Amino acid sequence: MKSFKTSLLFLLILLIGTSNLLAQVKPIFENGEAQIIPELKDSSNWIRTDLWVETEFDTDGDGRMDRMHVDVTRPLQTETEGLKLPVVYASSPYYAGTAGNAPIFWDVKHELGEPAKPRNKTEVVRTGKRPIISNSEIMNWVPRGYIVVHSSSPGTGLSQGSPTVGGDNESLAPKAVIEWLTGKDNGYTTPDGNEKVMAFWSTGKVGMTGTSYNGTLPLAAATTGVKGLEAIIPIAPNTSYYHYYRSNGLVRSPGGYLGEDIDVLYDFIHSGDESKRAYNNKTVRDTEMAQGLDRITGDYNDFWAGRDYLNDMEPMKAALLMSHGFNDWNVMPEHSYRIYDAARAKGIPAKIYYHQNGHGGPPPFSMMNQWFTKYLHGVDNGVEEGPKAYIVRERDEQSNPTAYADFPNPAASDVNFYLSPGAPEAGSMGLEKKTTAKQETLVDNYSFTGSALAQADYTEHRLLYLSPVLTESIHISGIPKITVKLASNKPAANLSVWLVSLPWTEGRNTKITDNIITRGWADPQNHASIRKGEPLVPGTFYEVTFDLQPDDQIIPAGQQIGLMIFSSDAEYTLLPKPGTELTIDLDGTVLTLPVVGGKGVVEKAVK
């Protein structure tokens, strides 16, 4: 009888164990997307942990490898049931606060080629005893069967080291965290102790996402080729600090931040250990940055090349879903396209989502969900197949993009537009090249904004060339280009170009796409080389060729496309005293637009 009872008890234990195994929480998928799991919805059952991951660099000069502060949020079942899940990881320099509105920008009102007066510097007051980690990723992904990890960038919050704003340590820091997530024993319970902690709950599959600087860091990590980083979704990322703070040799500010530069951003984010700041400031801001950023010439150099992620893409293999706004004049749309184009050329699974608004704006959540479901959970949902580009049309919601085979639209081809005189009113722009032997001159004056110049009927401070009124819409898709043949009466001059849709409209119903189509800036001194400008010989003509910002926009019937050429842009460039004269040779100037349907469509629309 005792033997029978023992056997019965053993059988009962076995059945209970089997039942527990069968009841273990598992991810749920429908239509190729991870669904909310009822057992994971209750946030009171989530485990939140702070730890530090050791890196392979020492950037704060204390003789020890820097450790990054990491925050983990995971379901209770990863502790009680042995549940292993993939990771959605976000990193940021902003979690512990910033310099806010401190007056630390450069003074932009000075002559070109002359140094600005020294700017103000500041120290960030850290927010709270620990960084305020964003909850948005946690609320989106933990209930759907992911673990969410955050880390502060080097020299910010409770992370050790120094900010470098695009330096190697900002790539190696998330790399170290991902290595920990894939099994490396470089995790510690404290910033300085020896007690180890392992990521036993991770499947070793990691995806990264974030917006702006937080969108740059997924790309930074991906360029290391780190094992385990399967997919990234950068949103409005800065992919080159040269392209952010310079443009074709020109010192140019990001929109809304006139006078910002890379050393300003350093001050803005430096929220790390106060005792290390003097060393960091001297080593990074006041030496490396001071010697490399070059606000005098604006030339591309090795300092900037080392902060351009396009130069580091060889090891990259993470599947890329890129997101950006065509009217983002802060981190401009070229940032995403240049990386998408390179990833596509490398054969990396890649798609791009563009909307028509400004800075930020993720892809539809369903698209993000499918991307992570495919590459982190391994569900064969076909997300990598089909159209490569998703573009929100002008009057549509951001959640409702239109699918296209790719961007630029494969049906687009280049159409050249040539100029005819009309200054100081508006000249014309057409498809036929005519020999006019005409030159027209504008006088620089930054006190007139670009929007004011575009609306002026008569002014000497810009040159404006208009297409005929469109009788049918024209779909621009790709990268407009311009060649301007010009002479200056001074050795240095700003060159700004706007492509506008006229008549200009204002009022509460005006859309961000209604007036400005795209823009571009260049330094004529860099007409031959982005790395080496040369003073202009007054009165001598030079050909300056450069790209405008990528765009995909439908210009409706009834509008005119206007090419506006001017000098200093009050919102973006350095602002020398008014009076510089630029003379444009119309025969040597041509605008090239990528138009869906090509020249035939334009000919029909301008009849």
Side-chain angles (χ1 to χ4, degrees), residues 165-223:
V165 192
D168 288 345
N169 70 338
E170 291 190 359
S171 299
L172 295 174
K175 174 179 180 283
V177 174
I178 294 165
E179 288 173 334
W180 176 71
L181 291 169
T182 56
K184 188 175 179 179
D185 65 342
N186 58 332
Y188 295 85
T189 58
T190 63
D192 300 305
N194 295 319
E195 183 181 354
K196 296 284 186 77
V197 57
M198 299 294 291
F200 60 86
W201 30 257
S202 169
T203 64
K205 302 287 187 181
V206 181
M208 290 188 73
T209 189
T211 298
S212 195
Y213 207 140
N214 303 0
T216 299
L217 296 175
L219 175 63
T223 60

Side-chain angles (χ1 to χ4, degrees), residues 492-514:
N494 292 319
L495 175 61
S496 302
V497 170
W498 284 19
L499 197 65
V500 296
S501 178
L502 298 177
W504 193 276
T505 59
E506 291 185 335
R508 52 191 286 182
N509 294 322
T510 301
K511 297 280 288 184
I512 196 169
T513 55
D514 282 347

Side-chain angles (χ1 to χ4, degrees), residues 244-494:
Y244 190 56
Y245 292 117
R246 307 288 184 267
S247 183
N248 302 297
L250 193 75
V251 176
R252 187 209 66 204
S253 303
Y257 302 95
L258 191 63
E260 187 186 326
D261 210 326
I262 194 167
D263 58 334
V264 175
L265 186 53
Y266 169 96
D267 276 356
F268 186 74
I269 66 173
H270 193 190
S271 60
D273 185 350
E274 289 83 355
S275 70
K276 303 294 178 63
R277 293 190 191 179
Y279 174 89
N280 295 346
N281 292 345
K282 179 180 178 182
T283 305
V284 178
R285 183 191 65 193
D286 300 333
T287 302
E288 181 185 4
M289 288 183 173
Q291 293 173 0
L293 62 86
D294 184 12
R295 287 184 64 85
I296 301 297
T297 71
D299 292 349
Y300 190 73
N301 56 28
D302 291 345
F303 170 83
W304 293 113
R307 287 165 165 79
D308 186 337
Y309 294 106
L310 189 64
N311 297 332
D312 298 331
M313 285 189 63
E314 181 58 34
M316 180 173 162
K317 53 183 182 292
L320 172 69
L321 174 58
M322 188 67 85
S323 177
H324 220 119
F326 279 126
N327 292 281
D328 185 349
W329 303 114
N330 175 4
V331 182
M332 300 194 187
E334 66 178 338
H335 282 270
S336 286
Y337 176 71
R338 61 202 298 271
I339 299 298
Y340 168 72
D341 188 42
R344 178 176 55 183
K346 281 174 58 65
I348 294 172
K351 294 198 174 188
I352 195 162
Y353 163 88
Y354 271 120
H355 57 82
Q356 301 291 344
N357 291 322
H359 189 49
F365 184 76
S366 175
M367 189 179 296
M368 298 177 69
N369 192 334
Q370 290 180 33
W371 203 254
F372 282 156
T373 296
K374 163 72 178 182
Y375 293 106
L376 303 189
H377 279 292
V379 174
D380 187 13
N381 57 14
V383 69
E384 78 282 9
E385 300 171 358
K388 302 301 182 186
Y390 291 82
I391 296 172
V392 179
R393 293 272 48 103
E394 289 72 10
R395 301 286 165 175
D396 290 344
E397 297 295 324
Q398 286 187 210
S399 59
N400 184 32
T402 299
Y404 293 92
D406 210 341
F407 176 82
N409 192 313
S413 59
D414 286 345
V415 179
N416 289 336
F417 290 80
Y418 304 98
L419 311 183
S420 296
E425 298 176 274
S428 61
M429 184 169 67
L431 300 177
E432 300 302 320
K433 183 174 178 63
K434 301 176 182 178
T435 302
T436 64
K438 289 289 186 180
Q439 299 172 357
E440 296 192 320
T441 298
L442 64 93
V443 180
D444 185 24
N445 191 335
Y446 68 81
S447 62
F448 295 90
T449 64
S451 59
L453 294 175
Q455 296 176 73
D457 293 327
Y458 189 104
T459 177
E460 65 177 356
H461 302 305
R462 58 91 176 115
L463 299 174
L464 181 63
Y465 304 94
L466 301 177
S467 74
V469 176
L470 302 181
T471 58
E472 297 184 11
S473 65
I474 289 178
H475 184 178
I476 297 170
S477 179
I479 304 175
K481 302 175 180 63
I482 191 166
T483 294
V484 180
K485 189 173 182 179
L486 61 78
S488 171
N489 69 337
K490 294 183 180 179
N494 292 319

